[in-house]
Every structure is written in C-alpha cells, then in structure tokens.
Amino acid sequence: MKKLLLAFGLLTCTAGAIQLKAQDTAAIYWKLDSIAVIDQKVMMPMRDGIRLATDIYRPKGNGKYPIVFSRTPYNFNTWVDGKMTTRTLEEAYQAVSRGYAFVVQNERGRFFSEGEWDILGTPITDGYDALEWMSKQSWSNGKVGVIGCSSTAEWQMAVASQGHPALAAMVAQGFGAGVGRVGKFMEQGNWYRGGAQQMLFTSWLYSTQHDKMAPKLPVGIQQKDLVRLQKFYDMGPEYPRVDWAQGLRTLPVKDIIKKAQGPEGIYEDMIARKPNDPAWFKGGLYHDNMPLEVPAYWFVSWYDVSSAPNIALFNHVRNAAKNKSVADNQYLVIAPVLHCSYKRATENTIVGQRSVGDARLNYDELTWGWFNMLLKGEQNDFKAKQPRVRYYTMGSNKWQQAESFPLANTEMKSFYLSSAGKANTRNGDGSLAMMPPAKDIPDVFTYDPMNPVTSYGGNVCCTGNAVQGGSFDQSEMELRNDILVYTSEELKEGVEVTGFIESTLYVSSTGLDTDVTIKLIDVHPDGKAYNLDETIQRLRYREGYDKEVFMEKGKVYKVDLTPMVTSNYFAPGHKIRIEVSSSNFPRFDRNMNTGGNNYDEATGVVVQNKIHHSKQYPSVIKLPMIKK
C-alpha cells in the first residue's frame, strides 16, 4: 500500500515545488503528445455491464503494439486543481517511447470507474475482462504485461490464475497484500501475521475505502463528459487528517475508523474475519491451490511488510508451474529498502537509521529488458545478464546472486535461548547458546495490553506517523522489563545469515490467550542494536488457523513462529541478539488476553508470561548460515 498524503505527518508540497512540477508537467505532456495517441477516460465494459475508467496511451500510427497494463485503486487522474500531474504521463512516456501501449485503469468503484469497490479490485473477472478487451484492440499485438507496486501489483496473482492467454509477463513489486496462503504463511493479504492483525490496514482503509454515501456520477455518462470533468473534478475525497500514533490506540479496534469520523466501508466487515474465514477465499487474494502459469519478475524489500511470504510465493510458482518455460521464467530481486522504495536507494542508502551502503540498481533496465524479451520476443541478453535471484546483503553492503533462495550452500545453525531466569532487559543474563540449558529456569515477564511494547522501526508500511519503517537502534527499547533479551558471544569471525529464520519457543501463561513476539537483532560493537526482521504468533492459533485452542494456566506449549527472513553479514566483533516479548504495537494489534474476539474489546487482562528453555523445552532460533 502507499502512504497517503492524508496521513498525519507526511510530506507536503511547497508553492515552489508545485510551480516547478507544473513546468515539468508541460514538458512531459508535449513530449508524450508528439509520439502518442492519448485516449483518456475510456469506459471499458465488464461482463456485467459495469464500466471501468481507463486511460490509454499508444504510439502514433497503425502498428500493433504490446501493452503494459497498470490497474490500481489509486487516483491516476492527470488533472488536479486545474493542472496536469506528472506521474501517469511520465509512465506513459517511458512505455510509448519504447514502442509499447500504456494502459492504466481504476478498479471497480474507484474514482471514475462504476460499481462498488472491494479490496483487490474484485471480482477478479474484471482483470480477465480487461485483458480480453485490450488484446482484441486493433492496435494490440495480443500480448499484455502487467506492472505495479503495492496495490497496483497485489491483484496480479489472482487474475493471472485465471489463465488468460494474452497475459504474457508480470512485474510485481511489494505484492504481499495479494498473497492469501502460501506454504507456512497464512497472512490473508497481510491482514494477519501469525493470527495477529497487522494494523496497517486500519490506517490504509481509512484513506482508501469510499464511503457508501459518497456522491456518484450518473450511470452511462459519456467519455467526452468525463474528459471535461476530470480537469476540475477528480472524484478524490479529502478525509480529515488523523494522528495515527494516537488513533491506532483506540479501543475497540473495530471502532477506530468510526471514531476518527472516517468513511463507512468494508473495514468493519474485514476486522471481524478470522484467519480461516471463507470470505478470504472468495475475493481477490491468491492462494497456493490456484494455478499461476505466467512468467514473473518479483521484487521484494527486506524492510517491507511481508518479505518472507513474498519469497515463498516465488519458490511456490517455480516449483508448481506445470509449464517448464514458465517455471524457468521466474526471477527475484530483494532490495534493502522500505515498501516500494526501490528507486530511492542512493550511494549511501539509509533505511531507518542504518546505512546499508550503495544499494542502487537500474530497475528500468531490468523491467524493460524483461518486457522486451517476453512481449516483443526480442532475443536480448536478459537471461545472460540477470541472475535467477539477486539479493542484497546488509552489513557487507553488496548485491549478490544465486540460483535459488534459500541458497544451496546454507547450513541451519541452532542458537538456544538460555538464562538463569533473569533475561529481562539487555542488562539481564539472557544468552544464545550452542546447547539448551540442562535445567528449566524460565524467564518471566508481565504483559499489560494497556502498556504494550511500542513498535520501533521494523518491516512495516502505511501507518502514517504511528510507525516509521526500517532499521533502528533498539538498545533503549531493550531496557523495558517486558522485553527478554538473548545475546550471543562476540563473534570472532564474521558470518553471513541469508535465508529463512525458524523459531520455536516454549511458552506458558496465566491467560487463556496471549501473543509471543520475536525480533532478530544485529548488535554492533558500540552497543547499537539494529533490527533485521520480526514476527508474532497469537497462541490460540498455535495449532493452526482453522481452529482456536485456548491455553490452560501454567501449562507449557510449544510454539512454532512463522519464519522470518533476511540477508545480513554479522561482522567480527558484532553479536547476534533475539528479543522476545508479547507485543509489538501498533505494528500488530494488542492481544487483550481474554480469549474473546479481541477486535470488539476495550478492556484487557494483565498476564504473566514465561519463556521456558531447557533440554525438555529447547527454545531455539535456527539461523541460515552461508558456508563460504
């Protein structure tokens, strides 16, 4: 999802910037106008008669061209406040100047498109119908490639599963909210992680869902009227600004948007869904029982919301594709940036507070080389030059390549949680050992839902000013008594950790239900502790997401957390650290510990949680070490 200007604390434009932008817009418009047929607000018909607003830019002349298609819930209107905006025009120019038609379309129910909106642009038949319409146009060569990041990518997988013959290539970036269930992951489009709600959707839907009472244009309005209207009326509502650092603290969570006086839409329905609710399997999400037989270029970020499920999907398609050519045409790039921030990498890329070096990559060269090969049939050097997997290793700060992910030369090394029962805070006695302790002396902490551990950095997006994503020094946070800290000895030799990180904890509680969180940390010689990845597990779902099994007071339970993932070089003198707690808020919603619905509760229960570690209860983290 994109951060929206409506969110509190985000960037605003100055008058000078607007003036400069207007000058740039005029230049790009006339460049585009000189080479393109511009056909805006074409109302593309769907099978049920609903029409979707579509802008088409194609090379002048009578040729037949491959199509680059962008489908989005966001406003792509080229006119705002009587002035043209640049983004859509720039994208169109990049495509048309390379011999492509560029088509951008709003999802059903968004802005000038007719119908009622639901997340991911359902029904997915709209995507199929759009491919059918485009491939039949006189200016089309019959091949379509889809491109986008975040919500312009997340719909691609489910539509691709329908198997339209015109869909010849995908470029999906930051696409995790389109993944429902894949392998060990059942996030239902990033709504959940380990059964806990990811609160990004609360703030995102506030600024995205259209109010049911919003005014609409007349059904059947003509294109000429839409072209005229778009210059002064772009259907983009302005919602009251919200301080999400406070707004996400509202209880119960089902009332957050209501109390912010936001739009009435689908949020209240979605917040009540459990992880295995049938509704997740009827919308626009892709699940791993659906076919996906399309060549795809996948772009992932280490500090995005769902790096691990995204990489798992890449692996799934490679292994499950029935067409060997499709399996061979799956490529992956993993960059050390935030959500959809690939092109923001610089000579000194800062992600949060941590410098990860020169992480630049020529994404235009990669994208157009991919499309030229698959949409134009060019015999180019894409496959000769591009590795199957290109990933960035932080710490050593370099791009690397492999034929698969995880890497073939991976050795899983176990680090066992250990202490004398006083692992609370970084000043405690928690350690990571090569063998589990002989005797179980558990670490105990109090989890109070009214005083949760605050999210500080992390793999997140779209929460306005509530959480800033990225890598931040956690050392001050680690002085909280409700954070257990386990640290390795100082490393004498550097080690590269690249791949999926597996975690098993043994937990007991005084509550019917609670959460357990874990965070992987790189501790520098100066004591700064930078987060790499994090995850959570709601314990009522420890036995699977198709049932809720509550806890018995004092009973010890084995909890396997969803895998984390990273690529990081721990240099000599550094330490490996694990943080364990029961909250990471507002990245994830608070468990109220009652065993109730959680989403409709305003009062929580304070619980005592224990992490057990011994030969009987071997709490462990398994790190993928790369053998050199």
Side-chain angles (χ1 to χ4, degrees):
M1 317 302 170
K2 298 176 183 175
K3 289 183 178 179
L4 302 178
L5 291 176
L6 297 171
F8 180 89
L10 297 183
L11 295 176
T12 56
C13 295
T14 64
I18 293 173
Q19 183 178 4
L20 179 63
K21 189 173 183 180
Q23 294 170 353
D24 291 344
T25 299
I28 192 68
Y29 175 80
W30 290 115
K31 285 175 65 177
L32 180 60
D33 183 67
S34 69
I35 63 171
V37 175
I38 300 175
D39 197 8
Q40 295 182 326
K41 298 298 173 285
V42 174
M43 299 303 286
M44 188 182 295
M46 301 293 104
R47 63 186 63 183
D48 61 356
I50 292 294
R51 303 179 306 160
L52 305 187
T54 310
D55 286 1
I56 301 171
Y57 306 84
R58 55 186 174 85
K60 290 183 176 180
N62 298 319
K64 293 181 179 292
Y65 307 98
I67 298 168
V68 173
F69 180 41
S70 175
R71 185 165 172 260
T72 180
Y74 297 124
N75 192 353
F76 61 79
N77 192 17
T78 54
W79 291 85
V80 176
D81 296 330
K83 299 183 180 70
M84 284 182 293
T85 57
T86 60
R87 181 172 179 178
T88 300
L89 299 176
E90 289 171 349
E91 292 174 341
Y93 180 78
Q94 290 297 320
V96 175
S97 65
R98 289 176 167 85
Y100 290 87
F102 180 73
V103 180
V104 57
Q105 181 179 85
N106 264 140
E107 293 175 352
R108 176 181 293 241
R110 295 295 287 166
F111 303 101
F112 290 96
S113 286
E114 297 173 346
E116 299 296 328
W117 181 75
D118 197 352
I119 196 166
L120 295 175
T122 52
I124 58 175
T125 53
D126 283 357
Y128 189 97
D129 292 349
L131 292 168
E132 181 72 8
W133 187 92
M134 288 184 291
S135 65
K136 300 300 184 185
Q137 298 308 299
S138 61
W139 41 264
S140 169
N141 77 345
K143 291 187 177 182
V144 181
V146 290
I147 191 170
C149 195
S150 193
S151 288
T152 59
E154 293 151 1
W155 60 273
Q156 293 182 18
M157 291 81 72
V159 170
S161 73
Q162 296 186 308
H164 195 286
L167 183 54
M170 297 165 56
V171 174
Q173 303 171 330
F175 52 90
V179 182
R181 179 196 62 215
V182 58
K184 297 180 180 180
F185 302 94
M186 192 166 180
E187 294 196 356
Q188 304 299 21
N190 295 164
W191 192 272
Y192 287 106
R193 169 71 55 81
Q197 184 215 348
Q198 303 202 63
M199 297 196 78
L200 69 95
F201 269 108
T202 302
S203 51
W204 183 77
L205 281 171
Y206 171 89
S207 296
T208 305
Q209 62 182 13
H210 277 185
D211 196 284
K212 298 174 182 178
M213 301 301 293
K216 297 180 180 180
L217 295 172
V219 175
I221 189 170
Q222 296 185 39
Q223 181 185 7
K224 64 181 180 64
D225 294 317
L226 292 172
V227 170
R228 174 176 54 85
L229 286 172
Q230 73 172 342
K231 297 181 180 181
F232 54 85
Y233 184 70
D234 76 348
M235 301 289 287
E238 292 190 18
Y239 299 113
R241 295 191 178 199
V242 176
D243 178 357
W244 287 114
Q246 293 300 316
L248 291 179
R249 299 190 69 89
T250 300
L251 290 172
V253 293
K254 71 178 182 66
D255 291 339
I256 292 177
I257 293 179
K258 180 180 180 181
K259 290 186 177 180
Q261 296 185 325
E264 295 183 11
I266 61 174
Y267 173 74
E268 288 75 13
D269 169 69
M270 295 183 72
I271 196 66
R273 294 183 192 172
K274 295 180 179 180
N276 203 41
D277 191 300
W280 296 117
F281 300 90
K282 296 178 181 177
L285 289 172
Y286 174 84
H287 304 286
D288 57 13
N289 64 340
M290 300 162 66
L292 207 167
E293 299 285 332
V294 179
Y297 208 170
W298 309 97
F299 290 83
V300 177
S301 308
W302 287 134
Y303 286 95
D304 202 352
V305 180
S306 54
S307 305
N310 288 2
I311 297 170
L313 178 59
F314 161 77
N315 287 332
H316 167 72
V317 177
R318 283 194 74 188
N319 295 327
K322 295 181 179 179
N323 186 317
K324 291 184 179 180
S325 176
V326 170
D328 186 55
N329 277 312
Q330 303 297 319
Y331 286 80
L332 173 67
V333 172
I334 316 172
V337 295
L338 301 174
H339 180 68
C340 290
S341 297
Y342 305 99
K343 293 186 178 181
R344 296 178 189 174
T346 65
E347 289 181 275
N348 181 30
T349 304
I350 308 294
V351 55
Q353 293 176 338
R354 186 187 185 192
S355 171
V356 295
D358 188 350
R360 292 174 297 177
L361 204 61
N362 191 333
Y363 292 98
D364 286 342
E365 178 184 327
L366 300 180
T367 299
W368 293 110
W370 174 252
F371 278 153
N372 289 344
M373 178 180 70
L374 292 167
L375 301 184
K376 289 186 176 181
E378 284 188 5
Q379 300 298 313
N380 59 21
D381 59 0
F382 178 89
K383 289 200 169 188
K385 292 177 62 176
Q386 306 308 326
R388 173 79 57 198
V389 178
R390 188 195 303 265
Y391 66 98
Y392 195 87
T393 301
M394 300 172 288
S396 57
N397 296 347
K398 61 183 180 181
W399 285 104
Q400 301 199 79
Q401 61 187 52
E403 179 57 28
S404 63
F405 197 99
L407 281 59
N409 56 334
T410 301
E411 179 182 359
M412 298 300 291
K413 189 170 183 178
S414 296
F415 290 81
Y416 293 91
L417 276 58
S418 181
S419 79
K422 297 180 180 179
N424 311 72
T425 83
R426 61 179 166 85
N427 296 322
D429 64 1
S431 66
L432 294 176
M434 297 299 99
M435 295 293 291
K439 186 178 180 181
D440 182 34
I441 307 176
D443 293 302
V444 185
F445 64 96
T446 299
Y447 166 46
D448 180 358
M450 298 300 105
N451 184 28
V453 173
T454 305
S455 304
Y456 188 48
N459 309 58
V460 68
C461 82
C462 319
T463 54
N465 66 326
V467 187
Q468 183 180 350
S471 190
F472 289 82
D473 177 15
Q474 306 292 310
S475 59
E476 289 301 309
M477 293 286 295
E478 292 168 348
L479 294 176
R480 288 184 59 128
N481 204 56
D482 54 357
I483 298 178
L484 305 181
V485 180
Y486 303 90
T487 309
S488 74
E489 296 290 334
E490 184 176 291
L491 296 172
K492 294 180 180 180
E493 297 182 357
V495 296
E496 180 186 326
V497 173
T498 296
F500 291 102
I501 297 132
E502 299 173 3
S503 320
T504 298
L505 300 179
Y506 287 83
V507 185
S508 64
S509 177
T510 60
L512 288 171
D513 185 35
T514 194
D515 291 345
V516 62
T517 65
I518 197 166
K519 191 179 294 184
L520 176 63
I521 306 288
D522 182 351
V523 184
H524 289 221
D526 61 3
K528 291 183 178 177
Y530 291 105
N531 53 295
L532 297 171
D533 200 1
E534 58 202 3
T535 193
I536 190 170
Q537 183 63 46
R538 186 144 293 175
L539 295 197
R540 68 173 69 183
Y541 296 118
R542 67 191 178 277
E543 296 183 14
Y545 299 105
D546 58 341
K547 57 186 174 182
E548 295 175 281
V549 182
F550 295 101
M551 306 171 73
E552 297 178 23
K553 184 177 180 179
K555 185 175 180 179
V556 181
Y557 296 95
K558 180 182 179 182
V559 180
D560 293 316
L561 287 88
T562 56
M564 297 180 287
V565 70
T566 195
S567 181
N568 187 75
Y569 176 71
F570 293 82
H574 287 226
K575 300 176 183 178
I576 301 170
R577 177 173 289 171
I578 295 296
E579 290 180 15
V580 177
S581 191
S582 285
S583 51
N584 183 349
F585 173 83
R587 165 75 198 275
F588 305 107
D589 72 330
R590 293 169 279 184
N591 194 323
M592 306 304 283
N593 299 326
T594 65
N597 290 327
N598 215 70
Y599 65 84
D600 59 0
E601 297 178 303
T603 303
V605 175
V606 177
V607 296
Q608 299 290 317
N609 291 338
K610 293 181 181 180
I611 301 298
H612 300 259
H613 37 70
S614 63
K615 290 183 178 179
Q616 182 182 5
Y617 303 122
S619 290
V620 64
I621 181 167
K622 297 179 180 179
L623 298 180
M625 302 291 197
I626 303 306
K627 296 183 291 185
K628 298 296 185 181

